[in-house]
Amino acid sequence: MSSISVPGGEDVFQFRIADVIAKKRDGLALSEQEIRHVVKATMTGQAQDSQLGALLMAVRLQGMNPEETLTLTREMVASGCVLKWPEEWSALLVDKHSTGGVGDKVSLALAPALAACGCKVPMISGRGLGHTGGTLDKLESVPSFSSQQNPEQMLEILNSVGCCIVGQSKNLVPADKIFYEMRDVTATVDSLPLITASIMSKKVAESLSALILDVKFGEAAQSSTIEEAKHLAHSLVNVGVSLGIPTIALITNMDTPIGRCVGNSLEVIEALQCLEGQGPDDLRDLVLHTGGYLLWLCGRAGSEKQGAEKIAKVLSDGSALQCFRKMLEAQGVKPDIARSLSSSTKLGETSHIEELKVPKTGTVELIRARPIAEVLNALGAGRNKATDVINHSVGAQLLVRVGQHVEEGSPWIRIHYEKPLLQDRQRQTLQNALSISAQPAFIPASLIRDVIYAQCKKEEYGASVRREREIS
Ligand code: IUR
């Protein structure tokens, strides 16, 4: 390393990227200046693709300590713009991030419910890839919905409605796009520090007052075990709190689809049921708890329980549904469609609807989300590469729940499809997704298995993190 002085400026450290790669290859921690240099060199094009690939692999194999992960996150944020909001919103800005699941329509009900409670929710979401669905794909099953909103438009919608759900803008954390594309082709996606910095840099750039993470584990999740999910959750929460955002993570199970519907337009209808104060219990439970924790973290409720009660109120009195409709209208949906949207609206139908039958009498032990999502993907509900076109109407309705007694020959799943047609081997895959037991099945009360905080007492959490932010 050498340093040169720029007239009137700080010393500019000159690193050879090859030396930084060698340091990480040998298991040493990188300094703040080294990480800053790598991110800057990535943005200016000075770092060659081969060097970035080698560095990402070195990080994947050797890891990063919490300080390095924090620095990487901070430098990635600095690669682009951050969203700026009016000062008077400084305790109102909240968001949620999920590591991805099947049938996960929580954000669709949560964002408007939080807006109805007085929060500002600048939710930046993604599209589905592989077997997990994406919030933007779900919303795009509503005709003319536009996820492309620039920061000025977001500000306007937050002012008038309180929530928006939009796609990632090019100027926010541009380093993440470069790193993510490189990770995808270098087998380095599954690196804890790289996942942490990727997720948290985008959330930090939203300038939030509080954040909740839904870190999923199970057969249909990115983390297959609860231990792995907790490890990721600790890393995410520590970065959030270190950067002054009160952050907690829920550890939730993802073996069985959330709710009863999988597939874009069917999931919007199910989210509308939740916004009408009804819908499946597991979905409602996640919306109430996620919202409850956020209201408590940002200081709008005295406890998570009080927060959940506020969310329950706006779901039952119709104000959350009104916010959802207003958000859709503000994001391009025709007023007559947006204003009358309800769970009985038809959002597109398929030419084929087919029910599969329960193979033997017993209790439903498990409905495996992953094979169901994979078959639906192949039928056009999702994409395997970013350029694939999806059919929003393709999906499935589960007609039974885990723990339910079922009789042989009764229907358990209804598949909505068009072309390509459902094949016999896919019918078999779906049948194998249903486990029937002769014994009564254990039904956990909630999908939430743990809550991860940073290192301070739960009672003081939101306030103490807010205090730290004011001091720093
Ligand atoms: N989502 C992100 O935003 N970043 C990642 O690295 C992964 C999921 I994996």
Side-chain angles (χ1 to χ4, degrees):
M1 180 192 78
S2 62
S3 117
I4 53 167
S5 289
V6 196
E10 312 164 24
D11 282 351
V12 175
F13 292 98
Q14 305 253 296
F15 296 97
R16 275 174 21 96
I17 302 265
D19 293 340
V20 179
I21 298 168
K23 201 169 165 187
K24 187 43 72 184
R25 175 200 66 198
D26 296 340
L28 300 173
L30 302 182
S31 69
E32 197 175 321
Q33 289 93 338
E34 284 164 332
I35 293 172
R36 182 172 305 145
H37 179 72
V38 167
V39 176
K40 286 207 166 134
T42 302
M43 296 313 298
T44 56
Q46 282 168 291
Q48 296 166 23
D49 282 2
S50 53
Q51 293 180 311
L52 284 182
L55 183 60
L56 291 170
M57 184 55 82
V59 171
R60 165 65 181 79
L61 297 175
Q62 297 289 2
M64 277 184 152
N65 65 34
E67 289 74 36
E68 291 174 284
T69 309
L70 183 61
T71 302
L72 178 61
T73 310
R74 211 188 266 127
E75 293 306 322
M76 284 173 66
V77 175
S79 73
C81 306
V82 298
L83 297 175
K84 288 264 184 295
W85 308 114
E87 190 54 39
E88 61 271 22
W89 293 359
S90 65
L92 299 179
L93 290 149
V94 296
D95 194 8
K96 166 235 168 194
H97 175 87
S98 155
T99 57
V102 175
D104 188 355
K105 65 283 288 175
V106 168
S107 293
L108 301 185
L110 179 67
L114 287 163
C117 291
C119 289
K120 301 290 178 189
V121 193
M123 193 176 271
I124 297 181
S125 293
R127 294 181 190 285
L129 193 62
H131 73 280
T132 57
T135 297
L136 299 183
D137 296 325
K138 295 172 211 232
L139 284 166
E140 283 170 0
S141 56
V142 184
S144 9
F145 176 85
S146 168
S147 63
Q148 290 312 305
Q149 307 290 334
N150 63 34
E152 291 72 32
Q153 291 168 315
M154 287 175 76
L155 177 64
E156 214 174 292
I157 303 171
L158 291 193
N159 233 328
S160 56
V161 182
C163 62
C164 58
I165 305 183
V166 305
Q168 175 76 20
S169 95
K170 283 198 177 59
N171 303 333
L172 235 56
V173 200
D176 180 58
K177 188 167 187 295
I178 301 175
F179 284 142
Y180 194 86
E181 282 171 7
M182 195 71 72
R183 284 164 63 201
D184 201 28
V185 293
T186 55
T188 54
V189 167
D190 64 342
S191 151
L192 187 90
L194 297 179
I195 296 173
T196 303
S198 169
I199 292 174
M200 293 308 294
S201 57
K202 289 175 285 193
K203 293 296 146 191
V204 171
E206 284 180 29
S207 308
L208 298 172
S209 326
L211 173 65
I212 192 159
L213 302 150
D214 179 353
V215 183
K216 299 191 178 295
F217 73 95
E219 199 195 20
Q222 191 191 349
S223 305
S224 52
T225 65
I226 192 164
E227 290 75 25
E228 219 182 293
K230 284 187 186 178
H231 205 46
L232 174 59
H234 278 291
S235 176
L236 294 164
V237 166
N238 284 335
V239 167
V241 168
S242 302
L243 294 177
I245 305 172
T247 306
I248 61 169
L250 304 182
I251 305 294
T252 66
N253 179 256
M254 184 27 75
D255 287 326
T256 294
I258 299 172
R260 287 169 169 248
C261 293
V262 185
N264 297 295
S265 54
L266 290 172
E267 291 193 42
V268 171
I269 298 297
E270 193 163 61
L272 281 159
Q273 287 174 355
C274 183
L275 286 164
E276 290 163 2
Q278 286 151 14
D281 290 345
D282 56 348
L283 171 62
R284 183 178 163 86
D285 179 75
L286 270 184
V287 173
L288 294 186
H289 281 96
T290 313
Y293 275 113
L294 276 177
L295 290 179
W296 167 62
L297 275 184
C298 74
R300 291 186 78 76
S303 64
E304 180 268 331
K305 190 163 170 281
Q306 277 177 17
E309 283 163 9
K310 288 190 173 197
I311 299 284
K313 180 165 181 298
V314 297
L315 292 179
S316 62
D317 70 11
S319 50
L321 176 62
Q322 279 311 326
C323 283
F324 186 61
R325 290 171 169 163
K326 283 188 192 163
M327 179 189 84
L328 295 182
E329 191 176 333
Q331 292 192 233
V333 177
K334 292 198 179 72
D336 55 327
I337 296 180
R339 288 177 197 175
S340 63
L341 198 69
S342 76
S343 61
S344 48
T345 306
K346 291 251 179 298
L347 279 181
E349 284 172 43
T350 53
S351 47
H352 293 70
I353 296 181
E354 181 176 330
E355 291 179 349
L356 301 184
K357 304 286 173 6
V358 171
K360 63 177 183 204
T361 297
T363 306
V364 178
E365 194 176 42
L366 184 64
I367 304 170
R368 293 170 58 218
R370 196 173 186 122
I372 295 174
E374 283 169 355
V375 168
L376 293 176
N377 243 13
L379 296 175
R383 51 174 85 72
N384 293 318
K385 53 182 190 313
T387 49
D388 287 348
V389 175
I390 62 176
N391 181 341
H392 292 94
S393 304
V394 169
Q397 288 166 283
L398 302 177
L399 309 173
V400 300
R401 289 308 293 159
V402 171
Q404 186 179 326
H405 174 82
V406 287
E407 296 286 336
E408 181 181 335
S410 58
W412 74 272
I413 189 169
R414 188 177 295 139
I415 320 291
H416 299 242
Y417 63 95
E418 229 141 42
K419 282 212 168 130
L421 296 176
L422 186 65
Q423 306 292 311
D424 274 343
R425 64 180 165 76
Q426 293 171 321
R427 286 187 183 88
Q428 197 49 54
T429 304
L430 291 172
Q431 286 296 29
N432 293 341
L434 178 71
S435 298
I436 304 283
S437 158
Q439 315 298 326
F442 168 69
I443 321 165
S446 167
L447 292 172
I448 303 168
R449 300 299 149 78
D450 208 346
V451 184
I452 306 295
Y453 302 85
Q455 315 89 327
C456 59
K457 282 203 205 102
K458 184 186 166 191
E459 298 73 48
E460 299 167 358
Y461 198 69
S464 80
V465 175
R466 275 193 297 281
R467 252 197 322 277
E468 278 170 33
R469 183 172 46 180
E470 278 152 22
I471 293 163
S472 65

